[in-house]
Amino acid sequence: MKTLSPLQIARYEYAPKLPGMLRNGVSEICVKEGLPTESVADQAKIKELFPNTYGKKEITFEKGKNTAASKKQVVGVILSGGQAPGGHNVVCGLYDALKATNKENVLYGFKGGPSGLIEDKYVIFDDEYINEFRNTGGFDIIGSGRTKLETVEQFEIAEKVCKAHGINAIVIIGGDDSNTNAAVLAEYFAAHNSGVQVIGCPKTIDGDLKNEDIECSFGFDTATKTYSELIGNIERDANSAKKYWHFVKVMGRSASHVALECALETQPNICLIGEEVADKKMSLSSIADYIADSVATRAADGNNFGVAIIPEGIVEFVPEFGKLIAEINELLAGKKAEEFNALASWADKYAFIEKGLTKESMAVFAILPQGIQQQLFLERDPHGNVQVSLIESEKLFSALVKDNLAKRKAEGKYNGKFNALHHFFGYEGRCAFPSNFDADYCYSLGYNACMLIQYGFNGYLSKVSNLSKPAEEWVAGGMPITKMMNIERRHGEDKPVIRKALVELNGKPFKFFEANRASWAKETAYRYPGAIQYYGPREVCDITTRTLALEKGE
Ligand code: FBP
C-alpha cells in the first residue's frame, strides 16, 4: 500500500511564490514589448535558418489588462532529458494558469519524453492527477527521455498528433539540446502555418543553460544543495576520524558549475574545474601532482585526511585524455565495435587497442587503472559520446595520487598516510524535493509559459529573472530562443545550437574560488551547509546558490 511521508503531505500544501507581476490573476497580466533580438553569433546564418522566428522582440509581463484573445487552449507538455528537481512544478504552474484562464483549457502530458509526442502516448491532466505531484521531485509525473526531435519526419508526425488532439501549443522542458530542438520545431510549425506554438523552459541540474538572459536553469539549486549537504557531512566525518581522503565525483556532463558551486558551499581541500584544466592544458600527471601537494602539505601538519571534489566531465577537459577518447571513438566506429566486443579476453582487447591508438594516446591509456581502461570501452550514448557518468574519475585521480605519493615517499619527500574513499553524487540530487527556490522558480516558469501561449508567442523561452531577489521582485517574460543560438560543428556538420555555458574563468564565482583555494588546500576550512530547509526563516529556506549570489555581486 502506498503511504505518504509527513514532508510529502506538507509539500502538497506548499503554495509556490510567483513573481509579483503574475500575482494579480491572469486577467491582470499584460505584455510589455522590448527590442528586437539578434542571435549571440552567426546572425546571418541563424536568420536564414529561422526566417519565421528570428529577430522577434523580447517581452516582459506586467500588471495591466490582459488583451490576449480568450480562445480555448489545448496544450501539450514534454519533459526532456535528465531529471531535475522542480520539473513537476513547471507542469503544475502551467496547468494552474491554464485552468485559471479558462476551465475548459486542456493540458496533455506526453509520456516518456519527446518520443511520447511522436508515439502519441499521453495523459490528460486533471486536479486529482496533478495534486499528487505538487512541489515534489522527479519527472515521474509523465516520465522523461532523450529522444531528439530533429528530423522533418518527426516534425510531420508531431504536427499530425497535434492536429488530431486540437493541440495549439507544445511546452518543452529541457536543456540546451532540447530547447535547440524546440526552436527548430517552432520554425517548422511557423513555416507550415500549422497553428501550433512551441515554448521552451530552461532545465538541467548541470547549470550550463544560462546566459545574459537566463540566470540559471532549474534544478541546479536543489541538486547542488543536496550534494553540498552530503559533502559537508563527509567533511565533518573526515575531520572527526582524521584517517581518510574522500574523492567525491559530482554530476555535470560537460561544464563544472556543479563542482564549483559545491566547492563554494563546502570549502573542500581540492576542487578540480574542467574548464581551467583545459585552459591550462593540464595533463593527468600534473593534476595528480597538484592534489598530491595538498595531501603532502596537510600530512606534514599531521592531517592525513581531506576532501577532493571531481567534476564528472573532467576527463574530457584533460587535453591528452580528450585526444585518447577521440581516438577510441574512431577505433570503435561502425562495425569495429562489434569486432572489439567479440574478442574473448581483456588481453586480446588490449592488443587490439594497442594496435589502433597512436603512441601518445597509448602512453596515456597505459597509466590508467584497468577498471578505467575498461570503462572507456563501455557503450556510447545515442550521440556516440562516452558516457562520462560511467567513468569513475574519482578512482582514477585517487589512484594517480597514490602513485605520485609513493614516488615522493621513495624520495623521502613525504611521510604521511593516504587512505582514499570514493563517492559519486549524481542521481541522489536529481529528484530531491525541490528547494523553495526551485519550487517557486519552476512554478513561475510554467505559469509564465501559459501566458506566452495565451499571447500567441512561438519559439520563445519562458524567462524569469532577477532571481537573487525575493520572488516578489522576480521579472517574468519571454525571449526568442534564436537569441541564444550560434553555429557549431556537431558530428561533422554545421548546426544551429544554443551555446552551452561553461564555467567562466573570469567570472566572479571562479575568481572567489581561485582566491581562496590555496588556504582551503592546506587548512581544514570546511563549511557545513546542512540539509535543504523547507520551513523556517527566509534567510535559511529561500537562499539561492552561491554562484548566483556572486554573479549578482551579492
Ligand atoms: P540533462 O543535461 O539532460 O539535464 O542531464 C544532465 C545529467 O544529469 C548529467 O549531469 C549526467 O551526466 C547525465 O544527465 C546522466 O544521464 P542519464 O540520466 O542518461 O544517466
Side-chain angles (χ1 to χ4, degrees), residues 81-82 146 203-206 251-253 312 388-389 427 430:
R146 291 198 183 276
K203 169 235 75 165
T204 176
I205 63 154
D206 291 2
M251 258 189 185
R253 186 201 302 268
E312 178 186 53
V388 284
S389 62
Y427 299 96
R430 295 202 312 184

Side-chain angles (χ1 to χ4, degrees), residues 453-472:
I453 293 167
Q454 218 203 356
Y455 275 101
F457 293 103
N458 180 31
Y460 273 66
L461 196 72
S462 179
K463 170 179 166 182
V464 176
S465 52
N466 208 25
L467 295 172
S468 63
K469 296 280 183 282
E472 167 69 32

Side-chain angles (χ1 to χ4, degrees), residues 80-84 139 144-146 174-178 203-208 217-218 227 250-255 258 312-313 381-382 386-390 424-427 430 500:
S80 180
Q83 284 71 253
F139 277 7
S144 185
R146 291 198 183 276
D176 53 336
D177 279 342
S178 309
K203 169 235 75 165
T204 176
I205 63 154
D206 291 2
D208 54 11
S217 55
F218 78 76
Y227 306 145
V250 291
M251 258 189 185
R253 186 201 302 268
S254 341
V258 173
E312 178 186 53
D381 75 6
V386 169
Q387 299 190 59
V388 284
S389 62
L390 302 181
F424 170 34
F425 298 146
Y427 299 96
R430 295 202 312 184
K500 209 182 250 312

